[in-house]
Amino acid sequence: MAVAVPPGRASGWAWRPVARDALLARAFHSCTELRGQFYLVGGLLTGGAREPSSDTVVFDPARGQAVRLGAQGTPARSHHDAAPVGGRWLCVVGGWDGSRRLATVTALDTERGVWEAWTATPGDCPPAGLSSHTCTRLSDRELRVAGREGGVRTQRRYGSIYTLRLDPNARTYCYKEEGCHTASRSGHCAALLQIPGPHPGHQLLLFGGCNLAESEVAGHWSHGKIKEEPPVAPHLMEQLARLVSSGQGSQKGPQGLRHHSCSVVGPFAVLFGGETLTRARDTICNDLYIYDTRKSPPLWFHFPCADRQLKRVGHRTCLWNDQLYLVGGFGEDGRTASPQVCILDLFI
């Protein structure tokens, strides 16, 4: 376990390994917490692979054990996103199936243990095809999808924003394109954060996925519109607050970062790893970034790491039981998937 300590500081952080299983070795997968279990869907098993995995692995963080789910109809996907719905369904949205980019919704019914291809309703206006996009849960019936559509030859010069409405009982979905656009982003992350101050509410921020260092707003909701209750992590929130108090904040975020991870912990967005677009060599990163929204304007805090074994791209982080977990991803060579599960430790 390597510890990253800023020069001249007494605080630091580390990813502490807590489990290891070959079933978890993958990148560009989804990893979603549902009922205390982590559901890993698809991904690429080796760097350079074009055919995504078609298996689903369930990791129990309490026991540190992983099992392959024998559900029928598991979709082959990578560069997709997923969201829990109704405490029962795991909805996989878009992604690469080995031959094309999709905008369909396929859901795992965790009670029945089967995958279901949900049906688009009349009036559906789907994206041209989604990969390396984000899909953020707003409620059990509404997701917000953001990112670049299509492949390199067909993509637009801007990113589209869609509201994806779901009907779990009817197993149907419907896309609606919003009137606003963002910069053309791919491999970015999205964070639904509460807005403090005299006009509270929520906003959905996009980070990375292009050469810009600035974030963009992909949605804004007034107080009471978003009913989602984020996971409670009081101890981790306190530790993050103490960690940023030891650093120097900046209004400028990481530039040119993509395929990193992002988890919201109270007023903080915690970003890790990824691939930088700002240099031609040694592109895979192992830096920790914390976006602190407690004051206006929000500030970025950068905590670098010298341990090259912590470099990750195409990985995921999940928040559960007041701890942040790191799952999968390719390492420094961009080809070898990590079989480890780690927990973020903060030393204050």
Side-chain angles (χ1 to χ4, degrees):
M1 179 179 68
V3 179
V5 180
R9 303 287 186 180
S11 59
W13 59 276
W15 288 109
R16 172 169 54 90
V18 294
R20 183 184 182 93
D21 195 303
L23 290 174
L24 304 170
R26 61 193 65 224
F28 301 103
H29 55 295
S30 60
C31 181
T32 312
E33 187 272 326
L34 182 58
R35 294 182 174 179
Q37 307 286 299
F38 294 174
Y39 286 82
L40 283 72
V41 177
L44 301 179
L45 303 185
T46 59
R50 286 189 56 84
E51 295 293 328
S53 170
S54 60
D55 69 354
T56 302
V57 172
V58 181
F59 175 72
D60 183 345
R63 298 183 178 182
Q65 297 177 345
V67 295
R68 178 179 283 113
L69 191 66
Q72 297 180 351
T74 303
R77 293 285 189 277
S78 69
H79 301 81
H80 56 286
D81 208 354
V85 173
R88 172 178 175 178
W89 291 276
L90 177 66
C91 288
V92 171
V93 178
W96 173 256
D97 72 351
S99 61
R100 60 194 178 109
R101 294 169 178 84
L102 306 172
T104 55
V105 175
T106 305
L108 172 66
D109 185 337
T110 60
E111 290 187 357
R112 298 171 53 225
V114 296
W115 284 94
E116 305 167 333
W118 287 13
T119 305
T121 61
D124 178 53
C125 297
L130 296 167
S131 64
S132 299
H133 55 290
T134 55
C135 180
T136 305
R137 174 191 159 98
L138 305 179
S139 71
D140 273 338
R141 291 183 171 267
E142 193 168 287
L143 311 177
R144 180 60 60 100
V145 178
R148 194 167 62 202
E149 298 177 57
V152 174
R153 296 180 181 178
T154 61
Q155 67 196 18
R156 300 172 179 175
R157 294 186 178 181
Y158 56 83
S160 299
I161 301 173
Y162 289 86
T163 295
L164 177 57
R165 292 189 170 88
L166 306 171
D167 186 341
N169 294 325
R171 273 59 164 185
T172 59
Y173 65 91
C174 183
Y175 282 96
K176 176 192 173 186
E177 185 171 3
E178 299 296 323
C180 53
H181 297 105
T182 67
S184 180
R185 295 177 186 262
S186 179
H188 56 286
C189 68
L192 182 63
L193 293 159
Q194 292 190 28
I195 306 170
H199 304 287
H202 287 80
Q203 62 181 1
L204 181 64
L205 294 180
L206 306 183
F207 304 115
C210 62
N211 279 317
L212 297 176
E214 296 78 18
S215 62
E216 284 186 285
V217 178
H220 185 282
W221 297 267
S222 59
H223 180 67
K225 294 293 185 180
I226 300 293
K227 305 296 185 183
E228 285 295 282
E229 292 293 336
V232 177
H235 179 62
L236 183 57
M237 282 174 51
E238 179 185 355
Q239 287 187 311
L240 290 170
R242 295 173 65 184
L243 180 64
V244 298
S245 70
S246 72
Q248 183 68 41
S250 169
Q251 293 184 34
K252 186 177 180 180
Q255 182 174 357
L257 195 64
R258 65 177 181 179
H259 303 309
H260 48 289
S261 63
C262 176
S263 290
V264 173
V265 184
F268 305 105
V270 182
L271 283 64
F272 174 71
E275 178 184 31
T276 181
L277 299 169
T278 60
R279 56 181 183 259
R281 302 177 64 182
D282 192 26
T283 59
I284 298 177
C285 305
N286 53 0
D287 302 77
L288 184 73
Y289 292 92
I290 300 175
Y291 185 70
D292 184 357
T293 67
R294 291 176 299 169
K295 296 181 180 180
S296 183
L299 294 176
W300 283 98
F301 293 85
H302 177 206
F303 299 94
C305 176
D307 185 4
R308 304 184 70 87
Q309 293 185 1
L310 286 180
K311 290 177 177 283
R312 290 287 188 278
V313 64
H315 53 288
R316 294 282 185 165
T317 52
C318 274
L319 181 62
W320 178 78
N321 197 29
D322 213 351
Q323 293 177 311
L324 190 63
Y325 288 77
L326 169 67
V327 184
F330 291 142
E332 181 181 7
D333 63 0
R335 302 184 63 86
T336 306
S338 171
Q340 284 187 332
V341 176
C342 300
I343 289 177
L344 180 64
D345 280 342
L346 300 176
F347 306 97
I348 312 300

